[in-house]
Amino acid sequence: MGVSDVCGLWQRVSEPEEQRLLELLSYGLVAVGAGSAVLLRFIHMPYGRYSSRRFGWLLPARLAWALQELPSLLIPIWLAACGGAVTAAWPNRILLGCFIVHYVQRALIFPFLIREGKPTPFFTFVLALLFCVYNGYLQGRSLSNYAKYPSGWLKDPCFITGFMGWLTGMAVNIHSDHILRNLRKPGETGYKIPRGGMFEYVSGANFFGEILEWFGFALACCTIESLAFALCTLFILGSRAKQHHQWYLEKFEDYPKNRKIVIPFVY
């Protein structure tokens, strides 16, 4: 089966049944996020400083990051290339572009900036890979085939506000990752308190950036699929930020007590 045959298949399955499937998958994504938040109250997500061989053999951090994030980059590109019903509309192109730009950074740039990252357990890698396949299809299919916008959508306050939220959140996320990578000077070991940027306000500054990014994206898209992704991100990254916050408080006696967990001034 060639590329044209596969694209033809995708075009033939564009039916109300698939649209209903995307809606159900959106509810499932929220359930995954909520379930993960409950689970993370009792166990640490096995990655980074919490990495453990109990969750399978360990993969190099750079390789694991690149491979697990790639589906969220490649699947939307493939779906857009197949020419969905609304792919040619400018709002859809731009919103798909936002999603793809994020995963270009996460799959092709971020892994190669990692400095001696802790290895990733195989179980954690598989979960992340499956999530990216799931969400890559969900967001890519929605924006390439079903999401329809009025002619003036790019000037609508919802789109403009959402796009600015997406852009600001991505900038905060990238800047916060930069701070974390440069906490230790060459040859130094051990952990340090992150300072600067949004870390002056929250322990999970990188998580806050990504949460803001995807809620901005959801506002710009105004689709159930994008809202489900934003809520799932909030549940999972909020829980991970709480883990980090508690770890910092236990590790450092001088950790700033005024810092919130992940939402500045609120939580």
Side-chain angles (χ1 to χ4, degrees):
M1 182 179 289
V3 174
S4 60
D5 295 325
V6 175
C7 287
L9 173 63
W10 278 114
Q11 291 168 2
R12 287 194 297 273
V13 298
S14 301
E15 299 290 347
E17 289 78 8
E18 189 192 20
Q19 198 163 8
R20 176 59 178 164
L21 173 62
L22 293 179
E23 183 179 341
L24 293 174
L25 289 175
S26 299
Y27 297 142
L29 194 62
V30 176
V32 166
S36 298
V38 172
L39 186 61
L40 290 173
R41 292 179 62 89
F42 304 100
I43 63 170
H44 285 162
M45 175 69 78
Y47 80 103
R49 69 193 65 167
Y50 314 113
S51 184
S52 170
R53 290 185 180 274
R54 293 182 302 162
F55 295 91
W57 70 84
L58 302 178
L59 303 175
R62 288 178 177 176
L63 178 64
W65 263 105
L67 293 180
Q68 74 190 28
E69 302 292 314
L70 267 178
S72 282
L73 171 62
L74 298 181
I75 292 175
I77 290 176
W78 175 41
L79 291 171
C82 283
V86 294
T87 304
W90 273 109
N92 300 72
R93 289 182 178 185
I94 291 173
L95 292 167
L96 268 170
C98 290
F99 190 82
I100 289 169
V101 163
H102 173 89
Y103 282 101
V104 165
Q105 199 277 330
R106 298 306 282 178
L108 303 182
I109 299 174
F110 175 78
F112 300 99
L113 298 176
I114 295 174
R115 297 182 179 180
E116 301 178 0
K118 293 290 181 69
T120 301
F122 184 73
F123 175 74
T124 306
F125 163 75
V126 170
L127 287 181
L129 179 68
L130 292 175
F131 176 86
C132 287
V133 171
Y134 187 125
N135 193 52
Y137 163 70
L138 186 63
Q139 307 304 323
R141 191 62 171 161
S142 169
L143 289 171
S144 67
N145 215 71
Y146 295 108
K148 296 181 181 179
Y149 299 97
S151 59
W153 183 247
L154 296 182
K155 298 179 181 179
D156 190 279
C158 281
F159 174 83
I160 294 172
T161 304
F163 179 80
M164 293 306 299
W166 171 83
L167 188 62
T168 302
M170 188 169 181
V172 169
N173 180 254
I174 292 173
H175 181 247
S176 301
D177 283 339
H178 172 77
I179 290 174
L180 291 174
R181 280 195 304 271
N182 292 278
L183 283 177
R184 291 191 294 265
K185 296 179 181 178
E188 289 185 331
T189 59
Y191 291 96
K192 292 186 176 183
I193 299 173
R195 299 185 186 279
M198 290 304 299
F199 281 110
E200 296 301 318
Y201 303 95
V202 293
S203 296
N206 51 332
F207 299 140
F208 166 70
E210 193 159 350
I211 291 169
L212 175 61
E213 182 180 358
W214 293 124
F215 270 95
F217 180 74
L219 181 60
C221 289
C222 282
T223 63
I224 187 173
E225 293 85 4
S226 59
L227 177 59
F229 182 29
L231 290 172
C232 184
T233 301
L234 175 63
F235 285 135
I236 294 177
L237 296 191
S239 298
R240 286 166 60 181
K242 186 175 182 180
Q243 285 183 8
H244 284 9
H245 185 73
Q246 292 173 337
W247 185 88
Y248 281 128
L249 290 173
E250 294 169 2
K251 181 76 173 179
F252 301 102
E253 293 183 359
D254 60 338
Y255 191 74
K257 301 299 187 293
N258 61 325
R259 283 191 193 178
K260 297 296 184 180
I261 295 173
V262 70
I263 306 297
F265 311 112
V266 177
Y267 173 75

